[in-house]
């Protein structure tokens, strides 16, 4: 695998880590940038997970989606919320630094930054995973 | 797998997450507490990784060790350092919030909190992994 490395966090970004587009579906999300910190093509194919960091600008949100793989999320800084579930199960939890969220397989979810603060969170996923399916409000069950 | 859940960070700990002993080898480490946030027996056996958080009190340190599996580390709060390598390759990097560290397979490593500040970091590891081998200063190569 690749050599050991330290990725320093600068004022707004990790040094040497190029921000990537979050998703290619316009309109499903707002003001989200993705960073691949560890895993994927950076490290070895035998590493069974990827560690990504997402920065959501104030008022921004990730796409509302569901998929077979789970998410292991830990908030790094800022404030926001996570919306989980669909229909009658739909609920929202406020999030602040160091809060952790386990998003179970197939659970509909969306992360939001507060209107006046950004939200930065880590999201660990299995290396081998399915593609997310976008979900409109109220159609999570039908999208299964 | 288990249902979705939010683990809130309280003043000093995650609510509902019981701190665990770090290691059972006395003298190899100082003032370290371990938290299993996601994976392991908390979630499903098919999840290929575990997300742990380590809290190191001021002046404390983890054991100096090496193993075949890598570590994916992100600092959550506080200040400290990571020592990497052995012999002529031995080097130390200062660490602050949101710095990330990839510890390559078999690299000797130790994390320390500053003398006057705690250090809290996430450490993601593969679920299937070998046991760490403790390393004294200068004996990393011999311990291979």
């Amino acid at each position: 695998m690749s050599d050991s490395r330290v990725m320093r966090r600068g004022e707004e970004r990790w040094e040497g880590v190029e921000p990537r587009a979050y998703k290619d579906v316009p309109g499903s999300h707002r003001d989200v940038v993705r960073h691949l910190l560890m895993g994927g093509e950076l490290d070895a194919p035998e590493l069974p997970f990827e560690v990504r960091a997402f920065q959501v600008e104030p008022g921004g949100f990730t796409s509302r989606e569901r998929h077979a793989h789970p998410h292991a999320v830990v908030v790094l800084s800022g404030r926001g919320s996570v919306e989980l579930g669909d229909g009658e199960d739909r609920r929202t939890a406020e999030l602040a630094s160091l809060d952790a969220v386990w998003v179970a397989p197939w659970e509909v979810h969306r992360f939001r930054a507060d209107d006046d603060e950004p939200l930065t969170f880590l999201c660990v996923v299995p290396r081998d995973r399915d593609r997310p399916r976008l979900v409109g409000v109220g159609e999570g069950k039908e999208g299964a």
Side-chain angles (χ1 to χ4, degrees), chain A residues 9 14 37 51-55 73-79 96-99 119-123:
Chain A
R9 173 71 180 193
W14 281 270
L37 294 178
V51 178
R52 301 98 45 88
F54 295 86
Q55 274 184 259
V73 167
V74 179
V75 175
L76 294 177
S77 66
R79 300 193 72 89
S97 275
L98 276 61
D99 286 346
L119 179 72
T120 300
F121 61 89
L122 274 190
C123 178

Side-chain angles (χ1 to χ4, degrees), chain A residues 15-78:
Chain A
E15 294 170 9
V17 177
E18 204 57 44
R20 301 167 186 229
Y22 165 62
K23 277 210 167 65
D24 53 5
V25 184
S28 70
H29 55 87
R30 183 189 294 166
D31 295 338
V32 185
V33 168
R34 182 169 63 97
H35 307 83
L36 178 62
L37 294 178
M38 287 169 276
E41 82 275 7
L42 299 179
D43 297 299
E46 64 264 33
L47 189 73
F49 60 83
E50 293 181 19
V51 178
R52 301 98 45 88
F54 295 86
Q55 274 184 259
V56 189
E57 297 306 310
F61 49 84
T62 63
S63 60
R64 191 163 188 269
E65 62 178 42
R66 63 201 300 271
H67 35 70
H69 64 275
H71 280 322
V73 167
V74 179
V75 175
L76 294 177
S77 66

Side-chain angles (χ1 to χ4, degrees), chain A residues 23 63-69 106-109 130-136 139-144:
Chain A
K23 277 210 167 65
S63 60
R64 191 163 188 269
E65 62 178 42
R66 63 201 300 271
H67 35 70
H69 64 275
W106 293 115
E107 184 90 275
V108 176
H109 57 281
D130 60 326
R131 285 185 71 83
R133 307 177 192 192
L134 298 185
V135 180
E139 59 169 311
K141 296 271 159 58
E142 294 81 348

